């Protein structure tokens, strides 16, 4: 069997403050691309909403007032240097950004629509694949009980592109099956499985995750935040026999702490590279895509072992229902 090795990089970004223009972020990203190229990287993954601060923490009464944080073209004058660098280095990249488009909504009304989006760009600088975040956390209205807002449900619509996977050349490999998830999606096994059912080999995933659970009425220890992030990604890779490059934005951004700990994970669920800083940092791994075969031909040979007839609730309902209550035979007290 021919070897299918791909050298991948996670390009973690330190904080991007509210006042910083896109050009500053792009210059930092270009420096990371150059660093990754020197290490032989053939694909580099940037975080969610990589061009600006994580603006859903800021409230705008009029949604249009948030539009300066959105991209209306890709590439744009600001992002074109990333595409040029991809061509220069023969390196693919994954980029998360806020997307503002005018397109028909589900009722056929053509209007401005806003999505939390990621693209996969090939080594020739062409956009290969686009994904729009499906699992939007947070809330739609200003919440006075929260110290920090999380207004993704205000600024973004639920992604309408499903979870696409595409086979395309990357580096020296003629065809890699690639898909994407964005941040909160990583916590949902359904999302991973939809990718797995399309034989995904590599998942590119960007995230912005605060070190504190601002929603928690009770206490959630900060170390568990990283544990749950890694747990979800490692389980997703193992159960779907794929690699993931999971890249964070990290550090104190607009006064809010984001944990980093970007990781690259193999199909056994093992972390094979991990960032150690809260700053701009490149981590790389040499991925033998042949490793995806073991899981998908044995434990997770979907065609032999899956039982969709027993999974109706997965797509048939949203919230959990209460189970029937046991009662003692004959109606006596239990
Ligand atoms: N950007 C995100 O989607 N963040 C969520 C936080 C709010 C929990 C996450 O799942 O990491």
């Amino acid at each position: 069997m021919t070897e299918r090795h791909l050298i991948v990089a996670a390009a973690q970004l330190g904080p991007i403050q509210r006042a910083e223009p896109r050009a500053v972020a792009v210059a930092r990203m270009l420096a990371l691309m150059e660093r990754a190229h020197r290490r032989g990287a053939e694909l580099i993954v940037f975080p969610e909403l990589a061009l600006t601060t994580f603006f859903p923490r800021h409230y705008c009464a009029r949604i249009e007032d948030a539009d300066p944080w959105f991209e209306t073209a890709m590439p744009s004058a600001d992002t074109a240097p990333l595409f040029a660098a991809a061509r220069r280095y023969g390196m693919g990249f994954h980029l998360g950004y806020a997307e503002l488009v005018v397109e028909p909504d589900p009722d056929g009304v053509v209007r401005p629509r806003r999505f939390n989006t990621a693209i996969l760009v090939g080594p020739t600088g062409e956009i290969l694949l686009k994904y729009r975040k499906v699992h939007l956390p947070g809330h739609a209205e200003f919440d006075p009980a929260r110290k920090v807002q999380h207004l993704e449900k205000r600024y973004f619509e639920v992604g309408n592109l499903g979870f696409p996977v595409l086979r395309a050349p990357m580096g020296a490999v003629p065809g890699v099956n690639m898909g994407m998830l964005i941040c909160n999606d990583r916590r949902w096994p359904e999302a991973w499985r939809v990718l797995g059912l399309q034989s995904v080999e590599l998942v590119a995933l960007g995230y912005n995750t605060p070190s504190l659970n601002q929603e928690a009425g009770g206490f959630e220890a900060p170390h568990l935040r990283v544990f749950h992030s890694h747990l979800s990604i490692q389980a997703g890779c193992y159960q779907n026999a794929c690699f993931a490059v999971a890249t964070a934005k990290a550090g104190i951004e607009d006064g809010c702490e984001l944990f980093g700990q970007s990781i690259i994970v193999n199909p056994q669920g093992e972390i094979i590279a991990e960032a150690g800083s809260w700053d701009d940092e490149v981590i790389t791994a040499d991925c033998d895509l042949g490793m995806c075969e073991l899981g998908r031909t044995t434990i997770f040979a979907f065609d032999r072992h899956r039982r969709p007839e027993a999974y109706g609730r997965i797509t048939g309902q949203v919230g959990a229902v209460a189970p029937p209550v046991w009662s003692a035979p004959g109606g006596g007290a239990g």
Side-chain angles (χ1 to χ4, degrees), residues 48 54 133 137 150 152 183-184 186-187 208-210 225:
E48 174 190 33
F54 187 77
K133 186 174 182 178
H150 193 110
E152 284 196 63
C183 197
N184 192 261
R186 73 194 185 286
R187 305 181 194 274
N208 282 266
T209 304
R225 302 283 283 173

Side-chain angles (χ1 to χ4, degrees), residues 19 26 54 84 94 101 107 121 126 129 135 138 142 145 172 181 188 192 221 315 327:
V26 168
F54 187 77
H94 162 278
V101 279
D107 297 324
V121 178
E126 282 160 285
L129 196 61
H135 297 99
F142 184 83
L181 296 173
W188 298 90
W192 287 95
T315 54
S327 56

Side-chain angles (χ1 to χ4, degrees), residues 62-82:
R62 276 173 19 99
I63 289 172
E64 299 74 25
D65 290 343
D67 285 352
W69 280 306
F70 283 77
E71 312 303 314
T72 53
M74 190 59 66
S76 58
D78 280 315
T79 54
L82 298 172

